Amino acid sequence: MSQQSPRRVVWALVITSVAGFMAALDNLVVTTALPSIREDLGGELHDLEWTVSAYTLTFAVLLMLGAALGDRFGRRRMFIAGLSVFTLASAAAAMAPGIDTLIAARAVQGAGAAVMMPLTLTLLTAAVPEARRGMAYGIWGAVNGLAVASGPLVGGSLTEHIAWQWIFWLNVPLGLALIPLARLRLAESHGTGAPLDIPGTLLASGGLFGIVYGLVRGPVDGWTGGTVLTGLVAGGALLVAFVLYSIRARNPMLPMRLFRSRAFSGINAASLLMFLGMFGSIFLLSQYLQGVLGYSPTEAGLRMLPWTGMPMLVAPIAGILSDRIGGRPVVATGLLLQALGLAYFAVIVTADVSYATQLPALIISGVGMALFFAPASNIVMSSVLPKEQGIASGANNALREVGGALGIAVMASIFSAQGGYETPQAFVDGLRPALVVGAAAVGLAAVAALVVPGRKAGRPSEPPAAGRPAEQVLESTTA
């Protein structure tokens, strides 16, 4: 088919990978620039924290809505709209005259990314022949994994050598180049054609807002604070209401029957736990390398390259392997290696550990992360009908973001309870148990991955006109 010609495949891979890189990078790119931002724009500590949280909050909350909008109004059309909003908001953040304007621009950035990000995977799936999707997901996953892990390095390097504004200006030429390319090189596609599920959208968005708000503010405001508890309790209640509503709704935004597929439910649980352990660990380790071992932001980022850069080498191979032997063994192996790498870090971390001692943990963690991304994406997209791939991608991305926010919240709380920033040894005392928890979370993710069928997940069949609905999902094909 024309949409699967080699040139269109290459263009789809380039466009979706670069767009995904931009959205994923901005999760953590601001963290190392906060001192410079405060020096230029002023603001209290809670204001600086909101420059990070505002993006995380809108991004996580609106991911499922973004996917639903793409299914309803056209995936390419909404991808371009999200990319345009993200690019304009990046320029506004770079030109922000004050901290309040910067926070507002970051919130709009997150909204644009929430529309753009889940559609990258859907558009890539539509452009690539099924037999080659593992390799394509491998490259896409490598680029996105690199963005997640290298955010502190990119932010620190640009702040240290140019100016903090360039962490946002970087997005502008990329976005301006991608917008016309997406219009010319990506094929339009739609989902089920069902009307937008307004009640489900409001329940899911409200629930995610409460949960993510509580998680990102808990370590700062205290877990017993009124707004934090209100957010967590109300968010949880709204998500329960969303599930109950979706079970009975005629055209729900996220059909609950998808979770009856072992492939879909297992890989989503694994994704949440993987991001919990990985995000929290990167958040603390990037501070450890700078605050305890004394590296500059650039030096710290370069020393993490055996971890953060490994996906560029291994993830394409992981994608090819998932095409040949199925996703479960590759994902489970990757998660196990990631857990071992974090556990090794917890054992060897001291206030003056040498880089040579750290290197095995960095390499093991990097290989493990690289083995996860591509096969996980392949399992998610192959476990649902083509017309449901948009919302499947949105749900998976939303769970990853919730996992990341949960990881930072939980591991920061453990760090604060067991240690602190007062001395290098106090930092290590807090870091070690936090890394143990991170390793345990990723280890549980490996167990969750084993729920996925042992052979390659098969495409679900269309629901029959009468009789049993599409809950009966074919979960295996040939090995």
Side-chain angles (χ1 to χ4, degrees):
M1 293 188 302
S2 61
Q3 69 264 33
Q4 295 182 344
S5 66
R7 289 183 62 187
R8 190 173 291 276
V9 168
V10 171
W11 277 115
L13 186 56
V14 170
I15 293 167
T16 58
S17 295
V18 174
F21 180 90
M22 293 162 62
L25 182 72
D26 273 60
N27 261 310
L28 294 174
V29 72
V30 177
T31 53
T32 46
L34 292 179
S36 296
I37 291 173
R38 183 178 186 182
E39 184 177 340
D40 280 0
L41 301 183
E44 301 298 325
L45 179 61
H46 69 273
D47 296 318
L48 296 177
E49 290 162 348
W50 269 112
T51 63
V52 179
S53 299
Y55 182 89
T56 303
L57 194 60
T58 54
F59 187 31
V61 166
L62 298 176
L63 274 164
M64 290 178 62
L65 174 60
L69 289 173
D71 285 350
R72 180 69 179 87
F73 299 109
R75 292 161 177 164
R76 182 184 65 182
R77 178 182 300 169
M78 295 310 302
F79 171 80
I80 293 172
L83 179 58
S84 300
V85 170
F86 181 85
T87 303
L88 289 172
S90 296
M95 296 186 292
I99 194 69
D100 292 338
T101 308
L102 177 59
I103 292 170
R106 286 284 287 165
V108 177
Q109 250 194 325
V115 176
M116 173 178 69
M117 185 64 173
L119 298 178
T120 60
L121 196 55
T122 314
L123 289 165
L124 181 61
T125 301
V128 180
E130 188 168 0
R132 293 183 174 273
R133 284 176 188 163
M135 183 174 63
Y137 292 150
I139 298 171
W140 180 89
V143 174
N144 280 270
L146 180 63
V148 170
S150 64
L153 166 62
V154 174
S157 298
L158 290 173
T159 300
E160 182 179 349
H161 299 295
I162 307 178
W164 66 263
Q165 287 87 348
W166 279 92
I167 64 180
F168 303 116
W169 281 127
L170 178 66
N171 295 322
V172 175
L174 292 175
L176 292 176
L178 289 182
I179 290 169
L181 285 175
R183 177 66 183 84
L184 295 172
R185 301 296 182 181
L186 294 178
E188 185 60 280
S189 64
H190 295 78
T192 62
L196 195 63
D197 179 14
I198 301 299
T201 298
L202 293 175
L203 288 171
S205 299
L208 287 172
F209 180 88
I211 294 292
V212 176
Y213 178 87
L215 291 175
V216 299
R217 300 309 302 170
V220 180
D221 299 338
W223 293 104
T224 57
T227 56
V228 171
L229 285 176
T230 300
L232 293 173
V233 173
L238 287 172
L239 288 182
V240 170
F242 169 69
V243 172
L244 296 175
Y245 163 82
S246 298
I247 291 173
R248 295 171 174 80
R250 182 175 181 181
N251 293 301
M253 179 175 69
L254 177 61
M256 290 297 110
R257 60 178 168 74
L258 296 182
F259 290 95
R260 298 185 185 182
S261 161
R262 288 195 295 140
F264 188 78
S265 58
I267 200 60
N268 276 293
S271 296
L272 186 148
L273 290 166
M274 159 65 172
F275 272 66
L276 190 159
M278 184 186 69
F279 255 67
S281 299
I282 290 174
F283 178 76
L284 291 175
L285 285 171
S286 63
Q287 297 180 66
Y288 166 73
L289 292 174
Q290 296 175 62
V292 176
L293 299 185
Y295 298 126
S296 71
T298 305
E299 291 171 338
L302 290 173
R303 281 164 174 77
M304 289 187 75
L305 275 178
W307 183 1
T308 61
M310 195 61 69
M312 296 299 293
L313 300 176
V314 178
I317 299 172
I320 294 172
L321 284 174
S322 73
D323 281 338
R324 295 185 176 180
I325 66 174
R328 186 179 83 162
V330 185
V331 168
T333 300
L335 291 170
L336 180 60
L337 288 174
Q338 178 76 86
L340 289 174
L342 294 177
Y344 183 84
F345 249 122
V347 171
I348 59 95
V349 66
T350 65
D352 58 354
V353 64
S354 68
Y355 183 65
T357 304
Q358 300 173 50
L359 196 56
L362 292 167
I363 293 173
I364 293 170
S365 296
V367 173
M369 184 171 68
L371 289 174
F372 170 80
F373 282 111
S377 299
N378 204 348
I379 292 170
V380 169
M381 301 305 276
S382 64
S383 65
V384 299
L385 295 166
K387 64 185 180 182
E388 295 171 327
Q389 287 174 341
I391 194 58
S393 175
N396 184 255
N397 275 280
L399 287 170
R400 290 183 180 192
E401 287 302 310
V402 170
L406 181 61
I408 291 175
V410 169
M411 294 175 70
S413 296
I414 294 170
F415 169 81
S416 298
Q418 300 296 320
Y421 293 92
E422 295 81 13
T423 65
Q425 187 57 50
F427 194 102
V428 170
D429 291 341
L431 176 62
R432 185 176 291 114
L435 289 176
V436 170
V437 171
V442 181
L444 287 175
V447 175
L450 295 177
V451 174
V452 175
R455 292 175 292 175
K456 289 194 287 186
R459 180 76 63 201
S461 58
E462 291 281 357
R468 290 183 303 171
E471 287 91 326
Q472 304 302 318
V473 178
L474 300 177
E475 295 188 303
S476 63
T477 59
T478 57

